[in-house]
Amino acid sequence: NNISYIEAGTINGVDMDAIANKGVILKDTGGLGDVYIYNNTFGRHSSNPISVVDNTASASVHIQNNIIANNFPTNSIGIYVPTTAIASISTLNNNLYFIASGDLIVWGSTYYTSLATFFGATGFEANGLTGNPLLDGSYNLQVNSPAINAGADLAAFFTTDKDGVTRPQSLAWDIGADEFVIGGLPTEGTPVAVVQAESGHHYYIVSFLARDPAAKSTISPSKINIPTLKRTIFICSICR
């Protein structure tokens, strides 16, 4: 439930882009036990946001539900795990990667730019994703973010996000430090967007194109033809 990023530009006379910086570094000097890196949002880092280095097989590292949006302008990587640390990785799944320039994961001596290839080789990141997480200026999720409802249930460890919002807000946890709340509403004119769909339960955000106040009396689920509709969230600027 943390946000980690570095400011761009020069701060106090220091060029921040010239500094090699990371989000999390794990280095075992003996006795490292269970480590959980859960539901964090990693933003702009000049090096890899998550580094697991020199770990022994006695450690157990779990990396899950993290947004790794490393939009640094030069080559960088998302997660770095050298050969000596591979045995310590117990969980690596449900993470969302958005790397502007570089590799998603370095695993030993292999550099991966595809999660499908990485999963085929390691068995990790079966539910991992790539794509723009659609973060706003405060690193909160926006409507239609692929991170929404894509996380694993980690209620055994915590049940709120960085702002104290209860997880989940719909049928599944969100990836990253922020749990999306219906409140970041789409603007009038945006198309129908499926927020969550599960067998027997369908959640939709609907923003209608009509601007004629008289049209509000004709709006109904049958009019928009959503099959097997169970639950619908209607957001309509003319329905005031």
Side-chain angles (χ1 to χ4, degrees):
N1 279 346
N2 297 291
I3 297 174
S4 174
Y5 68 96
I6 187 171
E7 296 284 356
T10 300
I11 299 177
N12 294 329
V14 177
D15 181 1
M16 303 306 290
D17 288 353
I19 300 174
N21 62 86
K22 306 175 189 291
V24 174
I25 303 175
L26 301 180
K27 183 178 178 66
D28 185 18
T29 58
L32 182 65
D34 293 346
V35 176
Y36 301 92
I37 304 175
Y38 285 166
N39 277 100
N40 300 288
T41 297
F42 295 95
R44 192 176 186 276
H45 292 277
S46 63
S47 189
N48 30 300
I50 300 178
S51 295
V52 184
V53 297
D54 298 330
N55 282 48
T56 67
S58 63
S60 180
V61 179
H62 307 264
I63 304 172
Q64 199 161 18
N65 285 8
N66 298 287
I67 291 176
I68 302 170
N70 201 351
N71 59 344
F72 197 76
T74 57
N75 288 345
S76 58
I77 57 179
I79 294 179
Y80 171 70
V81 182
T83 302
T84 55
I86 288 176
S88 69
I89 305 298
S90 297
T91 307
L92 181 58
N93 203 8
N94 297 93
N95 298 294
L96 171 60
Y97 300 81
F98 184 51
I99 308 300
S101 177
D103 301 285
L104 302 179
I105 300 170
V106 174
W107 194 259
S109 59
T110 305
Y111 290 69
Y112 291 96
T113 58
S114 163
L115 281 188
T117 303
F118 177 72
F119 170 70
T122 68
F124 288 112
E125 287 293 12
N127 301 304
L129 299 170
T130 58
N132 189 336
L134 300 180
L135 301 172
D136 66 14
S138 298
Y139 287 87
N140 292 319
L141 300 179
Q142 300 183 85
V143 172
N144 292 331
S145 168
I148 296 173
N149 299 316
D153 186 339
L154 301 177
F157 299 91
F158 53 93
T159 57
T160 58
D161 76 350
K162 65 180 179 64
D163 299 313
V165 174
T166 300
R167 295 180 186 269
Q169 284 292 301
S170 56
L171 293 183
W173 281 46
D174 297 345
I175 296 175
D178 176 56
E179 183 76 10
F180 179 77
V181 178
I182 300 298
L185 305 183
T187 57
E188 182 176 7
T190 46
V192 173
V194 178
V195 175
Q196 176 68 33
E198 186 174 281
S199 179
H201 299 283
H202 301 263
Y203 291 79
Y204 293 82
I205 288 181
V206 180
S207 180
F208 293 96
L209 293 170
R211 294 179 180 274
D212 180 4
K216 65 183 178 182
S217 62
T218 67
I219 294 171
S220 68
S222 61
K223 293 292 183 182
I224 56 176
N225 191 28
I226 300 176
T228 64
L229 184 67
K230 298 294 183 180
R231 303 173 186 175
T232 305
I233 302 168
F234 292 99
I235 301 167
C236 178
S237 62
I238 64 172
C239 300
R240 296 190 177 95

